[in-house]
Coordinates of all heavy atoms in Angstrom, one line a residue:
A414 N 10.6 21.7 -6.9 CA 11.7 21.1 -6.2 C 12.1 21.9 -5.0 O 12.1 23.2 -5.0 CB 12.9 21.0 -7.1
T415 N 12.5 21.3 -3.9 CA 13.1 21.9 -2.8 C 14.6 21.8 -3.0 O 15.1 20.6 -3.0 CB 12.8 21.2 -1.4 OG1 11.3 21.2 -1.4 CG2 13.4 22.0 -0.3
P416 N 15.4 22.9 -3.2 CA 16.8 22.7 -3.5 C 17.5 21.8 -2.5 O 17.2 22.0 -1.3 CB 17.3 24.2 -3.5 CG 16.1 25.0 -3.7 CD 15.0 24.3 -3.1
W417 N 18.4 21.0 -3.0 CA 19.0 20.0 -2.1 C 20.5 20.4 -1.9 O 21.1 20.8 -2.8 CB 18.9 18.6 -2.7 CG 19.5 17.6 -1.8 CD1 18.9 16.9 -0.8 CD2 20.9 17.1 -1.8 NE1 19.8 16.0 -0.2 CE2 21.0 16.2 -0.8 CE3 22.0 17.4 -2.6 CZ2 22.2 15.5 -0.6 CZ3 23.2 16.8 -2.4 CH2 23.3 15.8 -1.3
S418 N 21.0 20.2 -0.7 CA 22.4 20.3 -0.4 C 22.7 19.3 0.7 O 21.8 19.0 1.4 CB 22.9 21.7 -0.1 OG 22.2 22.1 1.1
P419 N 23.9 18.8 0.8 CA 24.2 17.9 1.8 C 23.8 18.4 3.2 O 24.0 19.5 3.5 CB 25.7 17.7 1.8 CG 26.1 18.1 0.4 CD 25.1 19.2 0.0
T420 N 23.2 17.5 4.0 CA 22.7 18.0 5.3 C 23.8 17.9 6.3 O 24.9 17.5 6.1 CB 21.5 17.0 5.8 OG1 22.1 15.8 6.0 CG2 20.4 16.9 4.8
R421 N 23.4 18.4 7.5 CA 24.4 18.5 8.6 C 25.0 17.1 8.9 O 26.1 17.0 9.1 CB 23.8 19.1 9.8 CG 24.1 20.6 9.9 CD 23.7 21.1 11.3 NE 22.3 20.8 11.6 CZ 21.9 20.5 12.8 NH1 22.7 20.3 13.8 NH2 20.6 20.3 13.0
Q422 N 24.1 16.2 8.9 CA 24.5 14.8 9.3 C 25.7 14.4 8.5 O 26.6 13.7 8.9 CB 23.4 13.8 9.2 CG 23.6 12.5 10.0 CD 22.8 11.4 9.4 OE1 21.8 11.6 8.8 NE2 23.1 10.2 9.8
Q423 N 25.6 14.7 7.2 CA 26.7 14.3 6.3 C 28.0 15.0 6.5 O 29.0 14.5 6.4 CB 26.2 14.5 4.8 CG 25.2 13.5 4.4 CD 24.3 14.0 3.3 OE1 24.7 15.1 2.7 NE2 23.2 13.4 3.0
T424 N 27.9 16.3 6.9 CA 29.1 17.1 6.9 C 29.7 17.2 8.3 O 30.8 17.5 8.5 CB 28.8 18.5 6.4 OG1 27.7 19.0 7.1 CG2 28.5 18.5 4.9
D425 N 28.9 16.9 9.3 CA 29.3 17.1 10.7 C 30.1 15.8 11.2 O 29.5 15.0 11.9 CB 28.1 17.3 11.6 CG 28.0 18.7 12.0 OD1 28.6 19.5 11.4 OD2 27.3 19.0 13.0
G426 N 31.2 15.6 10.7 CA 32.0 14.5 11.3 C 32.5 15.0 12.7 O 32.7 16.2 12.9
Q427 N 32.6 14.1 13.7 CA 33.2 14.6 14.9 C 34.6 15.0 14.5 O 35.3 14.4 13.7 CB 33.3 13.5 16.0 CG 31.9 13.1 16.5 CD 31.5 11.8 16.0 OE1 31.7 11.5 14.8 NE2 30.8 11.0 16.8
A428 N 35.1 16.1 15.1 CA 36.3 16.7 14.7 C 37.5 15.7 14.4 O 38.1 15.7 13.4 CB 36.7 17.8 15.7
E429 N 37.8 14.9 15.4 CA 38.9 14.1 15.4 C 38.6 12.6 15.0 O 39.4 12.0 14.2 CB 39.7 14.0 16.7 CG 39.8 15.4 17.4 CD 40.9 16.2 16.6 OE1 41.9 15.7 16.3 OE2 40.7 17.4 16.4
Q430 N 37.6 12.1 15.6 CA 37.2 10.7 15.4 C 37.2 10.3 14.0 O 36.6 11.0 13.2 CB 35.9 10.4 16.1 CG 35.8 10.6 17.5 CD 36.5 9.6 18.3 OE1 36.8 8.5 17.8 NE2 36.8 9.8 19.6
P431 N 37.7 9.1 13.6 CA 37.4 8.6 12.3 C 35.9 8.3 12.1 O 35.3 7.9 13.1 CB 38.2 7.4 12.1 CG 38.6 7.0 13.5 CD 38.5 8.2 14.4
I432 N 35.3 8.5 11.0 CA 33.9 8.1 10.7 C 33.8 6.6 10.8 O 32.9 6.0 11.5 CB 33.5 8.6 9.3 CG1 33.5 10.1 9.2 CG2 32.1 8.0 9.0 CD1 32.3 10.8 9.7
L433 N 34.8 5.9 10.2 CA 34.8 4.5 10.1 C 36.1 4.0 10.6 O 37.2 4.5 10.2 CB 34.5 3.9 8.7 CG 34.4 2.4 8.7 CD1 33.0 2.0 9.0 CD2 34.8 1.9 7.3
D434 N 36.1 3.0 11.5 CA 37.3 2.4 12.0 C 37.2 0.9 12.0 O 36.6 0.3 12.9 CB 37.6 2.9 13.4 CG 39.0 2.6 13.9 OD1 39.7 1.8 13.1 OD2 39.4 3.1 14.9
A435 N 37.8 0.3 10.9 CA 37.7 -1.2 10.8 C 39.1 -1.7 11.2 O 40.1 -1.2 10.7 CB 37.3 -1.6 9.4
Q436 N 39.1 -2.7 12.1 CA 40.4 -3.3 12.5 C 40.4 -4.8 12.3 O 39.5 -5.5 12.7 CB 40.6 -2.9 14.0 CG 40.8 -1.4 14.1 CD 41.4 -1.0 15.5 OE1 41.7 -1.9 16.3 NE2 41.5 0.3 15.7
R437 N 41.5 -5.2 11.6 CA 41.8 -6.6 11.4 C 40.6 -7.3 10.9 O 40.3 -8.5 11.3 CB 42.3 -7.3 12.7 CG 43.5 -6.6 13.3 CD 43.9 -7.2 14.6 NE 44.3 -8.6 14.5 CZ 45.5 -9.0 14.3 NH1 46.5 -8.1 14.2 NH2 45.8 -10.2 14.3
V438 N 39.9 -6.7 9.9 CA 38.7 -7.3 9.4 C 39.1 -8.4 8.4 O 39.9 -8.3 7.5 CB 37.8 -6.3 8.6 CG1 36.7 -7.0 7.8 CG2 37.2 -5.3 9.6
S439 N 38.4 -9.6 8.6 CA 38.7 -10.7 7.7 C 37.3 -11.3 7.2 O 36.3 -11.1 7.8 CB 39.4 -11.9 8.4 OG 40.6 -11.5 8.8
R440 N 37.4 -11.9 6.0 CA 36.2 -12.6 5.5 C 36.7 -13.8 4.7 O 37.4 -13.6 3.7 CB 35.3 -11.7 4.7 CG 34.2 -12.5 4.0 CD 33.1 -13.0 5.0 NE 32.5 -14.2 4.4 CZ 31.3 -14.6 4.8 NH1 30.6 -13.9 5.6 NH2 30.8 -15.7 4.3
V441 N 36.3 -15.0 5.1 CA 36.8 -16.2 4.5 C 35.6 -16.8 3.8 O 34.5 -16.9 4.3 CB 37.3 -17.2 5.6 CG1 37.8 -18.4 4.9 CG2 38.4 -16.5 6.4
F442 N 35.8 -17.2 2.5 CA 34.9 -18.0 1.8 C 35.5 -19.4 1.6 O 36.4 -19.5 0.8 CB 34.6 -17.4 0.4 CG 33.9 -16.1 0.5 CD1 34.5 -14.9 0.0 CD2 32.6 -16.0 0.9 CE1 33.9 -13.7 0.1 CE2 31.9 -14.8 1.0 CZ 32.6 -13.6 0.6
G443 N 35.0 -20.4 2.2 CA 35.6 -21.7 2.1 C 37.1 -21.6 2.5 O 37.4 -21.1 3.6
G444 N 38.0 -21.9 1.6 CA 39.4 -21.8 1.9 C 40.0 -20.5 1.5 O 41.2 -20.2 1.8
L445 N 39.2 -19.6 0.9 CA 39.7 -18.4 0.3 C 39.6 -17.2 1.3 O 38.5 -16.9 1.8 CB 38.9 -18.0 -0.9 CG 39.2 -16.7 -1.6 CD1 40.5 -16.8 -2.4 CD2 38.1 -16.2 -2.5
R446 N 40.7 -16.6 1.6 CA 40.7 -15.4 2.5 C 40.4 -14.2 1.6 O 41.4 -13.6 1.2 CB 41.9 -15.3 3.3 CG 42.3 -16.5 4.2 CD 43.4 -16.2 5.2 NE 43.0 -15.3 6.2 CZ 42.3 -15.8 7.3 NH1 42.0 -17.0 7.5 NH2 42.0 -14.9 8.3
A447 N 39.2 -13.9 1.3 CA 38.9 -12.8 0.4 C 39.3 -11.5 1.0 O 39.7 -10.6 0.3 CB 37.4 -12.8 0.1
V448 N 39.1 -11.3 2.3 CA 39.7 -10.1 3.0 C 40.4 -10.7 4.2 O 40.0 -11.5 4.9 CB 38.5 -9.2 3.5 CG1 39.1 -8.1 4.3 CG2 37.7 -8.6 2.3
D449 N 41.7 -10.2 4.4 CA 42.6 -10.8 5.3 C 43.2 -9.8 6.3 O 44.1 -9.0 5.9 CB 43.7 -11.5 4.5 CG 44.5 -12.5 5.3 OD1 44.2 -12.6 6.5 OD2 45.4 -13.1 4.8
E450 N 42.6 -9.6 7.4 CA 43.1 -8.7 8.5 C 43.3 -7.3 8.0 O 44.4 -6.8 8.1 CB 44.3 -9.4 9.1 CG 44.1 -10.8 9.6 CD 44.7 -11.1 10.9 OE1 45.8 -10.6 11.2 OE2 44.0 -11.8 11.7
V451 N 42.3 -6.7 7.4 CA 42.5 -5.4 6.8 C 42.1 -4.3 7.9 O 41.1 -4.5 8.5 CB 41.7 -5.2 5.6 CG1 41.7 -3.8 5.1 CG2 42.2 -6.1 4.5
D452 N 43.0 -3.3 8.0 CA 42.6 -2.1 8.8 C 42.2 -1.0 7.9 O 42.8 -0.8 6.9 CB 43.8 -1.6 9.6 CG 44.2 -2.6 10.7 OD1 43.4 -3.4 11.1 OD2 45.4 -2.6 11.2

Side-chain angles (χ1 to χ4, degrees):
T415 306
W417 181 88
S418 58
T420 65
R421 261 195 302 145
Q422 195 200 344
Q423 289 154 10
T424 53
D425 257 17
Q427 291 105 321
E429 314 288 318
Q430 297 285 343
I432 297 271
L433 183 84
D434 191 353
Q436 293 194 5
R437 301 173 68 88
V438 168
S439 298
R440 171 69 208 206
V441 180
F442 295 114
L445 174 77
R446 303 191 71 83
V448 174
D449 196 359
E450 308 224 319
V451 171
D452 292 339

